[in-house]
Amino acid sequence: MSWTAHSCFVTLAILFLWRVEEIAEACSCFPTHPQEAFCNSDIVIKAKVVGKQEIEVGNNIYGSPITRIRYDIKQIKMFKGPEQEIDAIFTAPYSSLCGVSLETNGQHYLITGRIDSNGEVHVTLCNYIRPWETLSTTQEKSLTQHYEMGCDCKIIPCSTIPCMTSSPAECLWLDWVLEKTVNGKQAQNFSCIKRSDDSCAWYRGSEPPRKDFMDIEDP
Ligand SMILES: *[C@@H]1O[C@H](CO)[C@@H](O)[C@H](O)[C@H]1NC(C)=O
């Protein structure tokens, strides 16, 4: 099995079940370091949700409507994305179909997502979406700086020891192995940054990297 940032495996083995929401655990995603989420997303914004609506987008082969949830959002800040403001995001109606459930109570979120060919923003449970208040200070600051600097680097999640990188442009993400959480030290306080010799290394904190970090000579 390979670890890819965007892997979203939807297993709908029992399609004839008419209550799709009863299929537990049908959506599962590989965990993503917030930097990988930033680099692999079309949009990264801070926003609040101001409305929620179920819309019909077509019919399935039995003639039943296929629905989506449309969240109307108020964009507060864009970290990555097209020139225009995002005012709505779309997701599947059930978590079993990887649909995301968001609060419309004014809570601020970090939202990452994909833009489709019609220019609509789509989000799934596999996207990195968090209440803004749960982000660390370093994560907040890295959204405007460090994550982008590290997009030529690859963060390799390690789930069981031993893990190895296959190129100097990779950082090993060890939170799960060391702390049994995907929201550990490296997720909260580190970014993986490319240095002058094209190697990548974990960099702690939110200040710009010092020259001696960037100019490292030893591999
Ligand atoms: C991240 O850094 C902050 C500030 O130094 C610290 O309080 C916090 O415990 C760190 N988080 C982790 C998971 O190590």
Side-chain angles (χ1 to χ4, degrees), residues 138 179 183-185 188-189 204:
T138 303
E179 301 175 55
N183 195 27
K185 249 196 190 91
Q188 286 192 22
N189 287 337
R204 187 194 156 89

Side-chain angles (χ1 to χ4, degrees), residues 161-192:
I161 290 212
C163 294
M164 274 182 294
T165 53
S166 57
S167 117
E170 295 174 344
C171 294
L172 261 192
W173 182 24
L174 295 168
D175 283 351
W176 183 253
V177 169
L178 299 180
E179 301 175 55
K180 286 280 171 272
T181 169
V182 292
N183 195 27
K185 249 196 190 91
Q186 287 176 333
Q188 286 192 22
N189 287 337
F190 284 81
S191 44
C192 171

Side-chain angles (χ1 to χ4, degrees), residues 69-134:
I69 302 295
R70 175 196 157 108
Y71 286 109
D72 296 304
I73 64 166
K74 176 88 186 78
Q75 178 180 310
I76 296 162
K77 187 164 183 178
M78 178 172 275
F79 302 100
K80 183 178 180 184
E83 288 292 305
Q84 91 269 19
E85 208 165 288
I86 311 291
D87 59 8
I89 58 176
F90 296 84
T91 194
Y94 310 114
S95 59
S96 55
L97 299 173
C98 288
V100 179
S101 172
L102 299 174
E103 301 287 346
T104 51
N105 59 6
Q107 158 155 223
H108 292 177
Y109 285 100
L110 171 68
I111 297 174
T112 70
R114 172 181 72 79
I115 301 182
D116 73 7
S117 52
N118 300 320
E120 285 179 352
V121 176
H122 291 266
V123 298
T124 74
L125 282 178
C126 299
N127 288 116
Y128 199 86
I129 297 177
R130 299 285 187 277
W132 186 263
E133 71 208 18
T134 65

